[in-house]
Amino acid sequence: MRLHVEERGHGPVRIALIHGFLADGAAWTDVVAASDPERYTFLLVDLRGHGSSPRADRTRGERYDIASLAADLVETLPNGLDAIVGHSLGGRLLIDIVGPLRPARTIYLDPGFGLKLPGRGLGARLFWSIPGLPRLLAWFYDRTDPATGPANVALAEAAHAAWDRSMIAEVLQDVAANPVTPSAPIVPSTLVLSDDAKLVVPRADVEQYERFGWTITRFPGIRHDMAALDGARTFEVIQASL
């Protein structure tokens, strides 16, 4: 599936930005605003079922699993970018696309490497079959953080109004069932961890990533939605990782 992509800036350094669950490319508005448009060109992607990108056609057997979401990115983004940045779900997908796309560098902002939800086994099957669970999950994830400010709340609410609600359990279950095992990075890679990072990257894994050659950057004083909470500081973290 070819995804909707918007370009911002016109500089020689080309960076793709992959948003998290239920967001869209507009989630990076403050990050882009903090950058120099003469130096950077940002490719803002809307994932399948988000923003202005197509929805999965269930009549054709299309899904919202990790494999499908990652394949869309490989089909859409150019090879050899200067960097790809992925936040949350976008960071989880980045693991699967770095091999085919071969950017010069990857930057993972609180990536969904180890979601704290049941993944496999009988307990997981029972959990994901709870009646009304998708509606409950949609209510939980659909909330906006007033601390991001009125403009970002409006952007988040617009994104939440547009996403395909049929994806909620499918995406979360697949991410929970397929945690990332620490290994050596294919290209130079930076793992950026907020104060909420333990919810998406197991603490025991962080030291292993560092031993494998990842650069670990702590981003203290910020929660998971870092780009909306402080776009300027988030851009500084990205810029320092290039």
Side-chain angles (χ1 to χ4, degrees):
M1 180 184 292
R2 295 285 294 184
L3 302 174
H4 177 78
V5 180
E6 293 189 15
E7 288 198 10
R8 295 287 186 272
H10 44 269
V13 181
R14 293 172 59 80
I15 302 174
L17 302 175
I18 308 173
H19 64 78
F21 195 37
L22 312 189
D24 59 19
W28 302 99
T29 295
D30 291 352
V31 172
V32 173
S35 70
D36 178 0
E38 299 293 332
R39 176 165 174 74
Y40 297 98
T41 297
F42 290 104
L43 307 180
L44 279 57
V45 189
D46 290 349
L47 295 173
R48 170 184 297 217
H50 297 75
S52 298
S53 283
R55 276 46 186 154
D57 186 343
R58 300 297 194 176
T59 65
R60 297 170 54 187
E62 293 180 348
R63 302 186 60 198
Y64 287 112
D65 56 2
I66 294 171
S68 300
L69 293 165
D72 295 342
L73 290 166
V74 172
E75 182 178 348
T76 301
L77 293 174
N79 289 8
L81 290 167
D82 292 287
I84 304 179
V85 181
H87 172 248
S88 199
L89 174 62
R92 173 61 184 85
L93 299 174
L94 182 47
I95 279 285
D96 288 2
I97 67 174
V98 62
L101 291 180
R102 289 287 174 168
R105 175 171 287 280
T106 53
I107 302 167
Y108 299 78
L109 308 180
D110 268 6
F113 284 178
L115 199 60
K116 290 185 178 298
L117 285 171
R120 297 181 183 273
L122 177 60
R125 290 197 296 272
L126 292 173
F127 175 81
W128 293 105
S129 64
I130 294 174
L133 181 63
R135 182 178 299 178
L136 178 62
L137 290 170
W139 170 82
F140 178 80
Y141 281 95
D142 214 12
R143 294 175 298 174
T144 57
D145 185 350
T148 60
N152 282 315
V153 166
L155 290 174
E157 288 178 346
H160 292 180
W163 65 274
D164 184 349
R165 280 171 148 64
S166 73
M167 77 171 70
I168 184 85
E170 183 176 3
V171 172
L172 294 175
Q173 184 176 8
D174 201 33
V175 173
N178 294 281
V180 175
T181 301
S183 62
I186 295 174
V187 302
S189 298
T190 299
L191 182 58
V192 180
L193 304 174
S194 79
D195 289 345
D196 292 334
K198 63 183 180 182
L199 301 176
V200 289
V201 181
R203 283 178 171 172
D205 289 353
V206 174
E207 186 176 326
Q208 294 187 59
Y209 283 110
E210 192 164 25
R211 285 203 302 267
F212 277 119
W214 293 60
T215 298
I216 307 300
T217 298
R218 305 284 180 178
F219 197 174
I222 201 79
R223 298 192 303 280
H224 183 65
D225 292 327
M226 56 185 76
L229 288 164
D230 196 332
R233 284 179 66 203
T234 302
F235 172 69
E236 289 175 1
V237 168
I238 292 171
Q239 187 179 40
S241 302
L242 298 176

